[in-house]
């Protein structure tokens, strides 16, 4: 009965079948349960990627290496803001909605992600945050990145290591947005309302 | 003397400093030496990524999971063709030149990558290969991917697992091309001539 | 004291000064008070447009003629959906956020506007609603409108009078979005949360 | 006989039926007769909009409020030039041809509108007129409008009220061009030759 | 005195100096006088190109080979229509205005070129002429030209030799428009009014 | 037997039939034999254009007037570089591959054309060569060419006559690329490997 219910849930995640928990490798089940405990529900990206265990491991190891590292000047809210702004360019429903929610929670600014989704240049952002997004969006568009890009970041307190961090998050989500498109990944309904009321 | 020479080489790799081998973690040195043995030289992407050991590991683990897996209908030449076609859209010097070389070697067709770089629709490709690149380029552009995209692939013998493989390679190089842009990664000179004569 | 407070509020509306209520023509004050009563606050577009009383009257008379008419097949939620989808293309913060709120209220579907803002083709819409937005967006982009456009609408139950209604709303907000851009009109903070919880 | 002839004329105006004069509201007939008297023929936009009397009134009231007001630095020829330049971007046959004719008449420069239609930056315009069109076209494209846009206008003698006038005309014709597209409105043949000879 | 007047005229032709007639090669003077006799004035393109006699000869020899040949299904008006439509895409003041005038004269349809300049798809053209322009514009945009393009032309009575003629005129004016841009070539004032009255 | 073999070769050149040598005008045969002697093979463009003898003569006379003139600061390698960079924008297989080969031979830099094809701004070019290509590409895109364009060239040692030379080559290949597209002209296989090894 349980597996039937899980299969039915799987149908709403995207195009590819999601294995039953009992057929998944143990490390993947463990990670999923840890995330579900912490978040209160299991974000659909975990279900969808479990279709390919080796790629599941590679994807989340990469994600952790760049999102959960302690070094650098980017706050958790900064990182989520980069994801929201670049994923909006790629029109990715999952990444915009899920990371919009995470941004609201980390930044405690419930309207900012919505503003960035519509028009980042008109959002209520500091000059520092605008410079950060300008660099992230240049990477997102696969622009040539020149010394001028780095100098502009430096004028707002970001050194070259920070530039790498901004660029890597933008590049990683250039990948994630495209995976989400061919998987047809959609956000869990919980994300729409998370963090809207302080 | 040796380290001085290495630092000087590093300056040609890109924007970020490359550590001396003696300062690198052992597993990274080991992988580099294995690649250098097999290829005859060390491709610059290994040097450039060693600036961030954790991301080095994540990047190449992901690369291996999708490029060196044994399942699916994509040949080694198919995979390189996808990389060449999508990296040309993103105007990535490293990926186009390095994977153009690998395509020549795997496909034993020395002119095909050059044709795809200029105009993939006019290249001497089978209908199957055109369908494969059409899907890869839709993912590359972050297009919405619809059932029609999958059906078109199916008409040329690619099932949904193959579609995932094509999409994932395109998505991974959407990331790699963008990393290469902000690192200013350039191809080793050896790549330009590899595989041109049968 | 009251006027000082009003002037200060005016500064957040946009680029142009907003007159004190006592200096406004009586019909404009009356309309504003009626709207404020019904909505619970005065949407910034009323303040901003009061800078030019003759244009205020023309703008809202036009708005009423197309938004509050009783004929045709478009529901109130349909009209708001057209405004959200087309204003998202024009990256208009005011219109997207304010009419996204109105859509949530009229449709009682709290997530749909957010989906349409990110990627209307992937939103949870009926074929009828997709056809309606496809026409609205063709008008929004100033595409040539052909007989095929009308025939496609007809296949989803919209006759030529409905096409006019869809086109006119899209055209009117092509104007409104552009006015909002040069006025630098921003949404009242109330709009962000309206209608999110059923 | 007369009504048959009128219906036949209606067919050349656009996609929607034009009512017989005897079935039109009196105020609309009156306005039409006044315009026909002054112009020598009835421009097709009046016929086409009469299909919807309430919208006819709203449209022409708005038009009068912005085109026939006495304040501001914009001459009649300036206003027509803005309409020609922005309507050319939207490829609107009616607006380009009809307002090109009006520009020739008001400016007494018979070649200027033709130049602006092809390439406004290469037209024989003063720096002031180029600055005016640059602002109008930024609004036309729904660009973000920044302080720099206003400062550039100020350097050519336009204050913020003039900027509103320029922006509003551009925005109103963003609407008109789109209405003309879905109505399939075409210029009266008289417009092509009006004002060509001094 | 005569040469002074000519030099002054040269200043209005474009960026490059025009030699005095007495310093020009005899064959170029002869061609100019023949054209001036036939047209009533000397079109500026002849003056501008005389700055480089060898290129003058090559340019007009090529022009004659494609514009004045007797074979094929393209009438003189067809050829001018192709030039107007493609030069409008390249926003070339000289070619649009001069060949718009020639089209009016050859076609005896004084409004058609003006319609094509604004929006060729909405111009009063036969299906045959639309197909001709569709092919010319595909060549103009440097699109890949496929068998489908040729088949579409064939359905409107154009064989492959006609396709070559259409394509060659479009390609030649792709060159001419670009030359006109860097020379800053402007139309003689006579062209604006030629052929407007039957 | 010989003519059969020639006809079969013709089929690989493009869409249009190539006449047998014995049916060609003598001057065209002579030119072909001279080129074949010098190059070692007959480039396909000569075969393809021989379908239209008058246009063959006009095309190559023009080509010679601009490519083989002795005046000006552009070296043979400079001219080929302009052709490679602009033909890459137009995705022309013949021109990119054939002139890439000629560039390798004249410049003795075997990797540079490949770099320019992928991303000219990241190629190993001097500031002078970047300025030259920037101008050539502005002409290629049919941009308006302003005094600033000429001043930028002058800062790198190019006077207005050099600007004409750069612009004319770019314009001529704007034409050639488009002819190649509708003819479906493909490079001889010899071009792919010419000049790769010093």
């Amino acid at each position: 009965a349980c597996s039937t219910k899980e299969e039915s849930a799987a149908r709403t995640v995207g195009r590819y079948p999601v294995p039953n928990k009992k057929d998944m490798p143990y490390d993947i089940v463990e990670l999923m349960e840890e995330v579900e405990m912490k978040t209160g529900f299991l974000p659909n990206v975990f279900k969808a990627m479990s279709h390919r265990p080796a790629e599941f491991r590679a994807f989340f190891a990469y994600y952790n290496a760049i999102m959960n590292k302690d070094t650098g000047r980017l706050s958790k809210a900064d990182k989520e803001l980069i994801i929201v702004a670049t994923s909006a360019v790629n029109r990715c429903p999952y990444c915009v909605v899920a990371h919009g929610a995470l941004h609201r929670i980390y930044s405690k600014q419930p309207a900012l992600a919505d503003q960035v989704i519509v028009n980042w240049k008109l959002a209520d952002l500091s000059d520092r945050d605008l410079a950060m997004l300008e660099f992230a969006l240049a990477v997102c568009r696969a622009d040539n990145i020149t010394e001028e890009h780095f100098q502009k970041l430096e004028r707002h307190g970001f050194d070259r290591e920070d530039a790498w961090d901004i660029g890597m998050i933008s590049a990683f989500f250039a990948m994630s947005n495209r995976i989400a498109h061919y998987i047809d990944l959609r956000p869990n309904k919980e994300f729409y309302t998370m963090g809207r009321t302080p």
Side-chain angles (χ1 to χ4, degrees), chain A:
Chain A
C2 175
S3 73
T4 308
K5 190 183 146 197
E6 274 192 340
E7 278 170 8
S8 141
R11 277 202 302 274
T12 66
V13 172
R15 273 196 188 92
Y16 287 88
V18 176
N20 289 329
K21 244 185 190 175
K22 66 178 161 53
D23 302 326
M24 285 182 190
Y26 182 67
D27 62 316
I28 290 181
V29 173
E30 200 175 40
L31 177 58
M32 282 182 168
E33 290 181 347
E34 190 191 317
V35 170
E36 194 167 356
M37 193 95 68
K38 216 171 67 181
T39 316
F41 61 95
L42 185 60
N44 286 336
V45 65
F46 291 91
K47 288 185 202 164
M49 292 299 290
S50 72
H51 177 66
R52 292 270 181 111
E55 295 169 38
F56 179 106
R57 290 181 191 109
F59 182 88
F60 290 107
Y62 208 134
Y63 182 94
N64 279 330
I66 62 177
M67 294 297 287
N68 297 324
K69 78 189 193 70
D70 291 326
T71 53
R73 282 180 185 80
L74 301 185
S75 69
K76 280 194 172 308
D78 289 339
K79 292 179 180 183
E80 299 299 336
L81 197 66
I82 292 166
I83 299 169
V84 170
T86 59
S87 300
V89 169
N90 293 326
R91 298 154 295 100
C92 178
Y94 183 85
C95 301
V96 169
V97 173
H99 291 278
L102 295 177
H103 181 266
R104 287 193 296 272
I105 286 169
Y106 291 132
S107 72
K108 304 197 189 310
Q109 294 182 282
L112 201 50
D114 281 354
Q115 293 174 358
V116 166
I117 292 164
V118 177
N119 194 323
W120 69 278
K121 285 205 178 171
L122 301 182
D124 293 323
L125 293 168
S126 65
D127 286 352
R128 172 202 180 268
D129 289 359
L130 287 168
M132 181 181 78
L133 290 189
E134 191 175 333
F135 187 82
L137 289 163
V139 172
C140 171
R141 290 186 303 261
D143 284 357
N144 289 346
I145 304 297
T146 64
E147 284 306 299
E148 283 181 20
H149 286 97
F150 287 89
Q151 287 159 13
K152 194 156 185 189
L153 276 182
E154 276 163 26
R155 284 198 294 278
H156 293 91
F158 294 110
D159 66 17
R160 302 212 158 201
E161 294 305 315
D162 300 320
W164 178 300
D165 290 342
I166 298 168
M168 187 58 89
I169 292 169
S170 179
F172 184 83
F173 278 86
M175 174 175 72
S176 304
N177 295 164
R178 284 159 176 82
I179 298 172
H181 272 310
Y182 75 73
I183 288 183
D184 198 23
L185 186 66
R186 304 299 175 90
N188 308 55
K189 67 181 192 316
E190 289 87 346
F191 283 125
Y192 289 96
T193 48
M194 272 169 69
R196 292 213 175 265
T197 45

